Amino acid sequence: MAFQILLNFFLAFVWMFLKSSYTPASFFVGYFFGLLIIYVFRRFFDSRFYLVRVNAVAVLFLLFIKELFLANWSVLKLVLRPKLNIKPGIFALPTELKKDWEITVLANLITLTPGTLVVDVSFDNKTLYIHAMDIEDINEAVDSIKNSFEKAIMEVSR
Amino acid sequence: MTETEIIKMFVGIFILLGAFLSLVAAFGLIRLPDVYTRNHAASKSATLGVMLTLLGTLIYFYFIENHFNSRLLLGIAFIFMTSPVAGHLISRAAYNSGVKLWGKSVVDDLGRDRKKMNHRKS
């Protein structure tokens, strides 16, 4: 991926020298044409076309924003309700992610999901201990963690 | 003229919403029963509250005063990155120093697993 970006910059500079105009506009035009060239030759690189990964990062970021808003909505409902009827608790969640940064991102995402907060990670990096505001509607949260978050993170690291 | 009015209205909405969420976070800190549940309110509502306030300020200065303040953008980005980490660390530190869960809490898998590990060690 790093190699492709470097190549793209190189092609942009070549374009600038060919046009012999050194403005940011011609740099971006060159970058765009370089992107097209890399896209056409994408089969000859070891890794995927790098815009795919950039796209995956953007999807992950939007997921973060969406979860932040949902979490605020649920906390708001809970705090402003006249009676507190919650059943908090800590439950264990096994994760399939391996690398440290992946688990960090997943823990941050879980902290921003409605009603859940990571308390601890086990020593072998296999289990996350999550404090939940209401243990009864936890199935939904586990579902979204397993299906959407882990997949979105794997999409980036693959 | 009307454009600036519309922009001012949006700025007002953003900042008021941010202030409201901060208020909710403060309410949550008072009302909820123990460290862990209070942490929920603090780590979620406060994040979005501060972010929305900063966003409103950014929009105001960009459109009304024609001045793009990149430091506000940096502030938003860093709050977004650091506040979940802070929430996690506070609850972890609380658990490790032995703060009890609220009396009506249902399960505690972490305590169970810790006990198991201690048994195996001894």
Side-chain angles (χ1 to χ4, degrees):
Chain A
M1 178 180 167
F3 174 70
Q4 288 180 35
I5 292 175
L6 205 64
L7 192 65
N8 208 160
F9 268 86
F10 177 69
L11 287 172
F13 279 113
V14 167
W15 177 263
M16 271 163 80
F17 282 114
L18 279 177
K19 298 282 283 185
S20 75
S21 79
Y22 307 106
T23 54
S26 71
F27 175 80
F28 281 114
V29 171
Y31 198 88
F32 174 72
F33 283 126
L35 204 63
L36 280 186
I37 291 170
I38 291 177
Y39 180 70
V40 168
F41 288 105
R42 66 191 179 282
R43 280 180 50 223
F44 300 99
F45 293 107
D46 297 337
S47 55
R48 311 175 279 169
F49 181 50
Y50 78 92
L51 269 197
V52 177
R53 183 173 276 187
V54 172
N55 185 41
V57 171
V59 166
L60 190 63
F61 182 72
L62 287 181
L63 192 67
F64 255 104
I65 300 282
K66 187 188 122 205
E67 289 304 325
L68 184 58
F69 275 93
L70 286 181
N72 270 284
W73 177 241
S74 75
V75 167
L76 203 120
K77 272 195 300 190
L78 235 139
V79 168
L80 297 183
R81 203 182 287 160
K83 255 176 114 185
L84 271 184
N85 51 350
I86 51 172
K87 283 187 189 139
I90 296 178
F91 68 97
L93 180 92
T95 175
E96 291 159 30
L97 301 175
K98 301 260 155 41
K99 290 183 203 126
D100 280 350
W101 72 265
E102 291 175 339
I103 292 171
T104 312
V105 171
L106 183 68
N108 277 1
L109 251 177
I110 290 171
T111 302
L112 293 177
T113 354
T116 51
L117 199 139
V118 178
V119 176
D120 205 355
V121 182
S122 67
F123 286 109
D124 51 2
N125 276 354
K126 276 184 187 149
T127 318
L128 293 171
Y129 295 97
I130 300 172
H131 183 269
M133 199 74 138
D134 212 344
I135 212 87
E136 293 194 340
D137 52 36
I138 210 60
N139 288 329
E140 207 179 313
V142 170
D143 231 39
S144 62
I145 289 167
K146 279 271 152 214
N147 291 329
S148 69
F149 301 167
E150 282 196 343
K151 265 193 197 138
I153 293 172
M154 276 177 192
E155 200 65 35
V156 174
S157 70
R158 195 173 48 150
Chain B
M1 192 59 210
T2 47
E3 281 167 24
T4 53
E5 293 299 318
I6 292 170
I7 288 165
K8 274 183 186 167
M9 201 178 76
F10 269 103
V11 169
I13 290 173
F14 272 129
I15 292 183
L16 280 180
L17 205 62
F20 175 68
L21 282 173
S22 305
L23 186 72
V24 168
F27 268 143
L29 282 185
I30 297 169
R31 278 198 72 193
L32 293 171
D34 68 347
V35 186
Y36 307 100
T37 45
R38 281 177 177 170
N39 218 339
H40 281 276
S43 66
K44 283 161 201 161
S45 307
T47 317
L48 195 61
V50 175
M51 275 171 68
L52 283 179
T53 314
L54 287 179
L55 196 66
T57 323
L58 183 79
I59 292 173
Y60 179 81
F61 277 108
Y62 184 61
F63 284 104
I64 310 287
E65 312 262 317
N66 264 330
H67 162 68
F68 184 77
N69 197 338
S70 52
R71 267 176 251 165
L72 285 172
L73 214 58
L74 275 183
I76 294 174
F78 277 106
I79 289 218
F80 186 62
M81 279 191 291
T82 53
S83 125
V85 180
H88 162 64
L89 280 181
I90 290 170
S91 55
R92 185 183 143 93
Y95 198 92
N96 284 344
S97 55
V99 177
K100 289 269 183 310
L101 290 169
W102 185 37
K104 286 186 191 166
S105 301
V106 197
V107 283
D108 184 3
D109 283 353
L110 179 55
R112 184 200 64 194
D113 286 4
R114 286 260 168 101
K115 249 180 226 159
K116 237 189 257 168
M117 276 180 63
N118 289 343
H119 271 300
R120 222 174 288 157
K121 261 181 215 161
S122 56

